[in-house]
Amino acid sequence: MIGEVLYRQETQDDFQEVFELNRKAFGQQNEAKLVNALRNNLNIFIPELSIVASKNNAIIGHILFTKINIKNDDETLNESLALAPMAVLPEFQKNGIGGQLIKHALDTAKILGYQSVIVLGHEDYYPKFGFEPAEKWNIKAPFDVPSNVFMAIELVKDGLKNISGTVIYPKEFETV
């Protein structure tokens, strides 16, 4: 066991440490730059859904949910959330921190009144938290991706009822 880990909303004082965390976790700067870009888009950024895990006042994990839309065939836009990115420092991986970040963020999103979350992620990891292939709701990615890694979760009963179509990610995602 790694001791006590605290989960809380990210603050402006955390930005540089979160940048370094993402750079180390992914071995490159793309995701770190994505977090910065998403934070700067006030139309999609939700401060309460930028969550850090800290141990001894050091940030060891981060998760970000931002607003996205699902565009139906009739051009109707339905709001949802994107889970991306999530990172844990390499030396703290495989200790359940990512899972706790996901649970904390999903609970927070539900409290804030959001109905659903979309994730492009590992097919064996995200289903542990209730994610299912988005094709179950006839929701498609805006790019070619295997259906088993493009997933969704309803935060409330029937959160995706009568919603189908293609996910529209904010332009910031095009940088990754």
Side-chain angles (χ1 to χ4, degrees), residues 1-2 31 42 62 82 107 110 123 125 128 130 159 168:
M1 186 62 190
I2 62 165
E31 288 80 4
L42 300 181
H62 176 253
D107 289 345
K110 187 174 180 177
E123 64 184 302
Y125 185 69
K128 295 179 202 175
I168 301 172

Side-chain angles (χ1 to χ4, degrees), residues 6-150:
L6 301 174
Y7 299 87
R8 62 170 173 79
Q9 181 177 327
E10 175 193 48
T11 68
Q12 193 167 350
D13 292 341
D14 300 325
F15 290 0
Q16 187 56 45
E17 206 172 343
V18 167
F19 186 93
E20 287 303 314
L21 160 81
N22 276 285
R23 188 185 60 73
K24 289 175 184 172
F26 290 102
Q28 61 180 9
Q29 290 192 0
N30 290 357
E31 288 80 4
K33 289 178 178 177
L34 174 62
V35 169
N36 285 348
L38 291 169
R39 254 194 230 111
N40 290 328
N41 184 339
L42 300 181
N43 292 320
I44 60 164
F45 180 67
I46 307 156
E48 297 88 346
L49 293 177
S50 184
I51 298 167
V52 296
S54 67
K55 178 176 173 50
N56 299 328
N57 295 317
I59 294 174
I60 60 172
H62 176 253
I63 192 168
L64 181 63
F65 286 10
T66 49
K67 294 178 189 176
I68 57 170
N69 282 300
I70 302 167
K71 186 160 114 179
N72 285 350
D73 292 338
D74 67 1
E75 304 292 309
T76 303
L77 296 178
N78 297 284
E79 188 176 74
S80 185
L81 296 171
L83 185 172
M86 181 187 65
V88 175
L89 283 176
E91 61 268 31
F92 289 99
Q93 291 175 4
K94 306 218 183 304
N95 283 296
I97 294 164
Q100 287 303 313
L101 279 167
I102 292 169
K103 289 175 187 170
H104 187 89
L106 290 172
D107 289 345
T108 303
K110 187 174 180 177
I111 290 166
L112 293 173
Y114 291 95
Q115 305 282 307
S116 62
V117 178
I118 305 291
V119 67
L120 174 61
H122 199 280
E123 64 184 302
D124 294 327
Y125 185 69
Y126 288 95
K128 295 179 202 175
F129 307 98
F131 284 89
E132 301 177 77
E135 69 182 1
K136 171 182 175 176
W137 295 278
N138 198 26
I139 296 171
K140 300 177 279 304
F143 39 77
D144 260 350
V145 62
S147 62
N148 59 333
V149 299
F150 191 70

Side-chain angles (χ1 to χ4, degrees), residues 152-172:
I153 187 172
E154 292 179 312
L155 297 176
V156 297
K157 184 174 174 17
D158 295 330
L160 289 168
K161 188 176 182 176
N162 300 321
I163 296 177
S164 63
T166 303
V167 170
I168 301 172
Y169 285 101
K171 65 186 181 331
E172 289 81 1

